[in-house]
Amino acid sequence: MEQIHWVQHRCRQLLVGDSGRGWYSSPNGIPNKSSQNAHCYPHIFRGKRRTVLAHYGPYQQEYEDISKNYKGNAIRTTKYSILTFIPMNLFQQFHRAANLYFLFLALLNWVPVVEAFQKEITMLPLLVVLTVTAIKDALEDYRRYLFDKKVNNNEVRVFCGKQKAYTVQCWKDVRVGDFIHLSCNEIIPADMLLLYSSDPRGICYIETANLDGETNLKQRQVVSDFSLQGLEIHPDSFNSRIECENPNNDLSNFKGYIEHSSGVRVGLHNSNLLLRSCTIRNTETVVGIVVYAGHESKAMMNNSGPRYKRSKLEKRLNTDILWCVVLLIVMCLTAAIGHSLWLKNLKDPIFQVDVETSPALAGFYVFWTMIIVLQVLIPISLYVSIEIVKLGQIYFIHNDLALYNEQMNSRIQCRALNITEELGQVQYLFSDKTGTLTENNMVFRRCSIYGVDYPHEENARRLEMYGPEKTEAAGRSVALKSSFSGKSLSCRSLSCNYSSVSLHTLTAESEEQENQLSNHIQTRTCVLCGCMAREVVPDPELVKKLNWLSSPVLPLSEDSSDTPSSLEFTYITDFFLALAICNSVVVSSPSQPRHMVLEAGTPLRSLEEIKLMFQRLSFTPFSDLSTLSPSQIKGSPRTFTWGKTDSVTFSTPPNSNTESEQDQECNLKSFNMRRRLDLSAKGNRTHTGQVKGKAIQVDIGDINTNCDCTKQNVEDLTRDVGTDDELLYEAESPDEAALVHAARVYRCTLRGRSAESLLVDLPGIGSLTVQLLHILPFDSNRKRMSVVIRHPLTGQVVVYTKGADSVIMDLAQTPKGAGAEQAQDIYSHIREQTQKHLDSYAREGLRTLCIAKKVLEEEEYEVWLKKQLLAESSIENREELMLESSQSLETNLTLLGTTGIVDRLQEEVPETIEALQRAGIKVWVLTGDKQETAINIAYSCKLLCPSDQLLTASCRSKDACAALLEELKLEVQCGKDSLTEPTAAGNQEKSFSNSMASFVLVIDGQTVEWALQEELNNDFIELSCRCKAIICCRSTPRQKSQVVQLIRNQLGVTTLAVGDGANDVSMIQMADVGIGISGQEGMQAVMSSDFAISRFKHLRKLLLVHGHWCYARLANMVLYFIYKNVMYVNLLFWYQFFCGFSGGVMTNSWVLIFFNLLFTSVPPLIYGVLDQDSSADNLMGQPEIYQAAQTTKVYIPYIFWITAVDAFYQSLVCFFMPYCALVGSDAGELSLGSLINASALLIILLHQVLESHTLTWIHVVVLVLSGGFYFGFVLLFSVFCVTCSPPTNPVGVETQQMSQPLFYIICALTTVTALLPRVFFRAVYNTLHPSAALRLAHMDKMDSTRMRCWNLSHSRVNGL
């Protein structure tokens, strides 16, 4: 019956023309949709579009012709197949220049005239690298294959035309045009248009956690005219055509229309589209038609793969590799020229020489032979080694317990694997404020209404005493584990008996990552519903004023100062009504399976009492109200989402006029009496908000107005009373949840929400249905949101708006017309007082929002409605039209008041910022909050100190901005001069750093806009460089990214951006290192970041410890690799002076190839993963070490050349000492090579020992095994290999050499001589220029020594 009544009601609305929210009927002046001519909608499509027809509809031939160009729903994220793996993988690997270079050398060695080694040997290095990389790629691709298979084989019910019923099919078999039948907790397999919902309001709830990590429910609406049917759609009779835009990756927009066979067109919007990988919640059944499938779905088109950033160290390495190439060419040219001269001057050779080849041509051949011989100079294994080292570094970062958040059960996520060393080079840090520096756990603190401040002092004291939320709250998770997987599914729909696995269809994530997201979702949901946001202690004065509403005998006086005026009370009522309804909060209840809220029961007061009250309040004459239809008074009869109620009552539909007003009043009174009896029987309980799972109780109608009772009223409001009726508010932002909870404390309770109605409890009145006409959502351009409703008591169309004070204050009206002078004085006073309160709130560090309203005349509303419907029905430029329509409505607003919400700092934020500043990192705060709020937070987090000099920049024109920047630069310069004049010359640098630390610039968004322009950005950069910190307030997301880009590009510094919300994504992606905080605003920032942390304090250890270690380790490892290769290659080069530059070598080719590939490859990896130049405690306690490491960088150009020179020296010693020892003896070239190789190995390994700052048992084991592997290999090689290295014969050479004491004496002397200069240089350098760690350690030691001496002397004095 209820559905029949609802259908009758909607049909009546259509007949009377009130169809703005349903079937689109063209208003006057708008082309009629029923026209079949395309020219009626010239603005709909100008580009390409997609036509979608039903798979088993009447247009089968046309469907086949159209759909053959559309992709199926099967996804394939793998790169290879069994047949294509080898060719495609080789093709991709040979895109790397290093691999192509070594392929060229391998092929070159096959040319007989330039052959240097056996053909097979030169292939080994390349084959090893290619094989290792191919195995890694194969394992990764196989993991993707398993994930694709799991997703594609997931089952869903699809309509089958042959069986005329829904059958279970795999996701991969779904096609565009198929009808999909989904149940609660099922994953949406493809982008589909919502055509039916079991919810009688035609809405569907979805959870987008698999897309963006957000757990709050989103509403989706059935296509307008289909929602009128109320019955499940029959796919075989669907004969409509769908025209929509081509597939794109815009998740927030969808444009199109559906055209029926009658020619009627209905606009399609994003609210009608169900996206792939989202989850159906709180809705038993939905039916939709697929419009985008597989890789054409919006979710898959957003899968751009892993992000790749190049670090500065990698860029520096590429430059040094080019220098290695230059060295190689020089050495090869030297050998070529030397061989030509040697042949030219050779007379009567005693050995066989090719005399037919000219010296020039022979030199040319030798050039290419030397390229093969000296190929080790180009470190092919260095790139692979760097990847392995970075994986090891990330492993230790990932498993650091100090970066683990026990409450959220989350640890750091390393999403970019190739920029770990950038963490150690950060010079500028750009941070968001809300949710990054603060908790983003909003709590209502105070408010101002009608120009009167309500400080809520008891609430302030309670917040000061309130510690962090207990972990028990985190345990009250509203999630359950699916029996099919470990993924967390919402427990909001317990009656839904159809469940499915929650799959990540974007990227193949590991189970560990899925569990992390699941844990994050559970914890964040609990935080949003935490006790702290609900425990608002009401202000006694405000409670006292609200009590007058419930008193039927006390008149409202305009003259008495003790009683509120009717206008003031109107403001108070509208203020809290706006807090309750001007939002997108979804109401749910854990005690209800489908969280359905029943139709609004009869108000607590009778109609006569309400009339009397509103007559006293001087509202619209209540005689007008009595003429309104019940639907205007109570709104559309609907079913709402709610918890349990005391009884089930259905409202009479608006077409039923059988009940007289007298009968209604009688029923109202009897219901009121029954309800009061029920309340008293239950301990005087009322259905209100819960605190710690309990309701707070008050009956304003029973509260007296004296001061003594007011105190008791406040106690009643905050008293915990047990109730089984809990309302859960799921908000898109913590701000909305805090405001709704605050309104609920004052008995203005949001109890239910539908697509077109709201159920609200008003103080002293009871539950009323509010007809929701339109929602104008918040956007960054307008900085506000609005709802358009039909007031349940006056029947007027009212706009309630909340937004930033800078916007709302400008939109506030100035009264005109009769009596405007008196009204203007009142409104001016309200505006003036509200502005004072706003400034006061901001100085306290509160987040402020202004609340306003506007009453529309019916004619005014109709005119705007035409404009709004035209904007909603547009496909192209829809956003611009919607913005213009919203802005035209939100004018001449009546300012009601403002709210102040407290957002506490996260723990250890001041200590973290202080440590980062001591480390030489400049911290910028980029926030959308107003200036006073940002400054207050800056003081709280120690970004600003009391001694700092504050500079403010706020301009409204470009010329004014230019003049102000010059003035501020002069002021800073004068301040610097005043501080440096009295100092000595030796202390000027220190004094200048102090002067920099004394200036902090605060600049607003408009001034930033001017400063970012090309003509002024140099002045802005110069000024910012002289300041200790910058605070950019009122900044837009675009401005944030532009500021980061300007500093990064102009100054050439390493930048880091940290944020937690979607508005920080552009800034995070623009910075060299992007840090996302998994907070209360979804996972967009985390998904766009390089690293994800849960708390701001984790930055301290991440940068100062792991960042410092990663950079130092990688830089030293790269230098060691270059040293090792240059040193060994030069041994081969020096031998050319004794073999006529012929390209010969003094060792067998196997040892030559394996020397760098196997014997000395593992120690650098251990060095790069485990080395620590300072302990973690030392780095945390002395942040200056971080800055010192930046000023004395390990890996800079001149260090490369110093390393190369040292390698040249060691190679000279390593070659000529064995040569001089064996000269004149009968030792052959292989004997000389044996000594040289053994000495080189010892020198290279011990060189690493000298360079290492820490030596563990792992280092020792690896070094011993590397040396043992070499000696074991050459001994076995000399024993068993007879013809392994033609034309030489190495049999017995190594065994004979190693059996002689002279071998070990020469190796020892050579090693000591080669390393002695480096040891001496290190000792002298550390004495003259000690590192920051040594200097600070020495200072600590001196301080402790002085303290011991003082204690000793003090004890002696006391003894005397």
Side-chain angles (χ1 to χ4, degrees), residues 126 380 394 568 576 615 947 976 1263 1338:
L126 182 62
I380 182 175
I394 287 173
E568 180 179 1
F576 285 110
Q615 286 171 352
S947 59
K976 183 188 75 170
L1263 290 172
H1338 179 70

Side-chain angles (χ1 to χ4, degrees), residues 547-594:
N547 291 342
W548 290 90
L549 173 64
S550 304
S551 176
V553 295
L554 294 177
L556 292 176
S557 172
E558 300 288 346
D559 301 326
S560 174
S561 59
D562 296 333
T563 59
S565 66
S566 60
L567 182 60
E568 180 179 1
F569 186 80
T570 303
Y571 270 64
I572 294 174
T573 306
D574 280 327
F575 179 85
F576 285 110
L577 181 60
L579 294 189
I581 68 175
C582 189
N583 51 62
S584 58
V585 171
V586 177
V587 187
S588 61
S589 172
S591 60
Q592 281 296 307
R594 288 198 56 228

Side-chain angles (χ1 to χ4, degrees), residues 1028-1248:
K1028 165 190 170 183
I1030 309 292
I1031 301 173
C1032 297
C1033 50
R1034 298 297 192 192
S1035 301
T1036 64
R1038 180 181 60 85
Q1039 288 175 340
K1040 290 181 180 182
S1041 63
Q1042 288 177 340
V1043 168
V1044 175
Q1045 183 181 24
L1046 178 68
I1047 297 299
R1048 188 193 65 182
N1049 295 342
Q1050 295 293 330
L1051 298 181
V1053 294
T1054 303
T1055 58
L1056 181 146
V1058 54
D1060 73 316
N1063 59 333
D1064 303 316
V1065 168
S1066 57
M1067 173 179 71
I1068 288 173
Q1069 292 178 334
M1070 185 60 66
D1072 295 300
V1073 181
I1075 306 289
I1077 292 185
S1078 51
Q1080 308 290 343
E1081 295 190 14
M1083 296 285 284
Q1084 296 95 327
V1086 170
M1087 290 180 172
S1088 304
S1089 65
D1090 304 309
F1091 301 89
I1093 57 180
S1094 58
R1095 309 297 283 175
F1096 184 83
K1097 67 177 181 179
H1098 293 161
L1099 277 179
R1100 184 178 181 182
K1101 188 168 187 182
L1102 181 62
L1103 297 185
L1104 302 186
V1105 178
H1106 290 290
H1108 176 82
W1109 282 347
C1110 288
Y1111 174 75
R1113 290 165 175 171
L1114 271 176
N1116 285 317
M1117 192 199 74
V1118 169
L1119 290 174
Y1120 179 76
F1121 249 96
I1122 293 174
Y1123 148 79
K1124 179 169 65 79
N1125 287 13
V1126 173
M1127 188 266 189
Y1128 191 76
V1129 161
N1130 273 280
L1131 298 176
L1132 305 177
F1133 180 70
W1134 302 136
Y1135 182 71
Q1136 302 307 310
F1137 288 90
F1138 299 92
C1139 66
F1141 298 97
S1142 61
V1145 293
M1146 68 289 187
T1147 183
N1148 69 76
S1149 53
W1150 289 97
V1151 174
L1152 177 66
I1153 293 297
F1154 284 161
F1155 193 88
N1156 278 292
L1157 193 65
L1158 297 178
F1159 303 146
T1160 60
S1161 60
V1162 179
L1165 301 182
I1166 303 300
Y1167 177 52
V1169 174
L1170 298 180
D1171 190 49
Q1172 296 181 8
D1173 58 347
S1174 294
S1175 66
D1177 294 337
N1178 198 17
L1179 290 171
M1180 290 286 283
Q1182 304 293 340
E1184 293 81 6
I1185 300 176
Y1186 186 89
Q1187 183 179 15
Q1190 290 184 343
T1191 53
T1192 58
K1193 289 185 177 180
V1194 178
Y1195 189 34
I1196 50 180
Y1198 80 87
I1199 296 295
F1200 167 80
W1201 291 110
I1202 291 176
T1203 302
V1205 170
D1206 187 30
F1208 269 99
Y1209 163 77
Q1210 293 187 17
S1211 66
L1212 283 170
V1213 173
C1214 186
F1215 181 85
F1216 285 101
M1217 284 195 69
Y1219 175 80
C1220 294
L1222 298 179
V1223 67
S1225 67
D1226 58 352
E1229 60 177 8
L1230 291 182
S1231 298
L1232 174 65
S1234 175
L1235 269 172
I1236 291 175
N1237 282 331
S1239 300
L1241 179 72
L1242 294 176
I1243 292 171
I1244 289 173
L1245 294 181
L1246 291 178
H1247 180 97
Q1248 179 175 328

Side-chain angles (χ1 to χ4, degrees), residues 832-901:
E832 179 182 349
Q833 293 300 314
T834 303
Q835 186 61 56
K836 290 181 180 179
H837 299 152
L838 281 168
D839 297 338
S840 173
Y841 294 175
R843 285 191 293 271
E844 293 182 28
L846 303 181
R847 292 170 57 88
T848 57
L849 282 175
C850 281
I851 312 298
K853 81 164 188 175
K854 178 181 182 180
V855 179
L856 296 178
E857 299 294 337
E858 289 296 333
E859 296 79 7
E860 184 181 2
Y861 172 67
E862 290 297 332
V863 172
W864 176 82
L865 181 60
K866 293 178 181 179
K867 188 175 183 180
Q868 178 71 8
L869 292 176
L870 177 62
E872 289 179 352
S873 64
S874 299
I875 295 179
E876 291 190 0
N877 67 342
R878 180 175 183 268
E879 291 77 14
E880 293 80 2
L881 293 175
M882 292 289 290
L883 176 62
E884 180 183 350
S885 175
S886 300
Q887 290 176 337
S888 65
L889 182 67
E890 297 164 332
T891 57
N892 298 325
L893 302 176
T894 299
L895 180 65
L896 298 175
T898 183
T899 61
I901 299 176

Side-chain angles (χ1 to χ4, degrees), residues 266-498:
V266 179
L268 305 176
H269 312 303
N270 195 54
S271 61
N272 306 129
L273 189 67
L274 302 181
L275 296 179
R276 177 190 174 105
S277 79
C278 295
T279 308
I280 303 295
R281 300 292 193 207
N282 297 4
T283 311
E284 291 182 354
T285 303
V286 298
V287 175
I289 184 172
V290 176
V291 291
Y292 305 125
H295 288 279
E296 291 181 335
S297 62
K298 291 180 179 288
M300 293 303 298
M301 295 191 75
N302 273 276
N303 182 17
S304 57
R307 302 175 62 249
Y308 183 81
K309 289 183 178 180
R310 292 179 62 196
S311 66
K312 290 182 173 61
L313 187 144
E314 185 179 347
K315 297 175 184 177
R316 178 72 248 170
L317 173 62
N318 292 337
T319 303
D320 290 343
I321 294 298
L322 292 178
W323 282 116
C324 289
V325 173
V326 172
L327 286 176
L328 176 65
I329 293 175
V330 170
M331 296 168 74
C332 294
L333 282 175
T334 303
I337 295 173
H339 185 67
S340 299
L341 295 176
W342 181 77
L343 280 180
K344 187 176 182 181
N345 298 326
L346 183 65
K347 297 179 180 179
D348 301 326
I350 60 175
F351 41 81
Q352 184 179 0
V353 177
D354 186 6
V355 294
E356 297 181 358
T357 304
S358 65
L361 183 59
F364 175 76
Y365 290 155
V366 166
F367 174 85
W368 295 107
T369 301
M370 291 300 297
I371 289 285
I372 300 172
V373 172
L374 305 181
Q375 61 178 292
V376 182
L377 186 59
I378 310 299
I380 182 175
S381 59
L382 178 57
Y383 291 98
V384 179
S385 301
I386 287 177
E387 290 186 9
I388 295 174
V389 167
K390 287 184 177 181
L391 287 176
Q393 292 175 348
I394 287 173
Y395 172 80
F396 285 109
I397 294 175
H398 192 62
N399 290 278
D400 190 343
L401 290 178
L403 303 180
Y404 171 73
N405 188 328
E406 185 176 359
Q407 183 180 356
M408 296 182 65
N409 191 24
S410 66
R411 52 186 174 180
I412 184 172
Q413 300 177 36
C414 303
R415 303 174 60 83
L417 306 182
N418 55 324
I419 59 170
T420 54
E421 66 274 20
E422 290 288 84
L423 294 171
Q425 294 294 295
V426 174
Q427 296 162 279
Y428 278 75
L429 187 147
F430 300 89
S431 173
D432 180 38
K433 183 186 77 67
T434 304
T436 304
L437 301 178
T438 62
E439 293 279 4
N440 199 17
N441 192 0
M442 309 300 180
V443 182
F444 182 84
R445 168 63 183 80
R446 62 194 303 176
C447 65
S448 170
I449 310 172
Y450 191 67
V452 178
D453 182 30
Y454 299 99
H456 292 70
E457 295 175 355
E458 185 65 29
N459 193 37
R461 285 191 289 269
R462 188 165 186 171
L463 288 174
E464 290 176 0
M465 297 173 58
Y466 205 108
E469 289 195 28
K470 303 295 185 291
T471 55
E472 295 90 77
R476 287 205 330 270
S477 177
V478 289
L480 64 93
K481 294 287 183 179
S482 170
S483 59
F484 296 95
S485 73
K487 289 287 292 179
S488 175
L489 300 178
S490 175
C491 183
R492 306 180 186 106
S493 305
L494 301 179
S495 68
C496 303
N497 53 15
Y498 198 93

Side-chain angles (χ1 to χ4, degrees), residues 6 9-10 13 21 201 203 205 219 221 580-581 583 585 587 597-600 631 634-641 750-760 768-775 787-790 792:
W6 178 76
H9 169 68
R10 290 301 292 157
Q13 285 190 331
R21 302 288 293 176
R201 298 156 294 170
I203 64 173
Y205 291 97
Q219 284 191 13
Q221 182 71 41
I581 68 175
N583 51 62
V585 171
V587 187
V597 174
L598 301 177
E599 173 61 25
S631 62
K634 300 174 64 176
S636 305
R638 289 289 198 167
T639 306
F640 288 83
T641 55
L750 176 64
R751 291 200 168 276
R753 173 183 294 275
S754 73
E756 298 180 358
S757 303
L758 300 167
L759 185 62
V760 181
L768 291 176
T769 303
V770 179
Q771 185 179 356
L772 181 62
L773 301 178
H774 300 276
I775 295 180
V787 293
V788 185
I789 67 166
R790 187 170 295 279

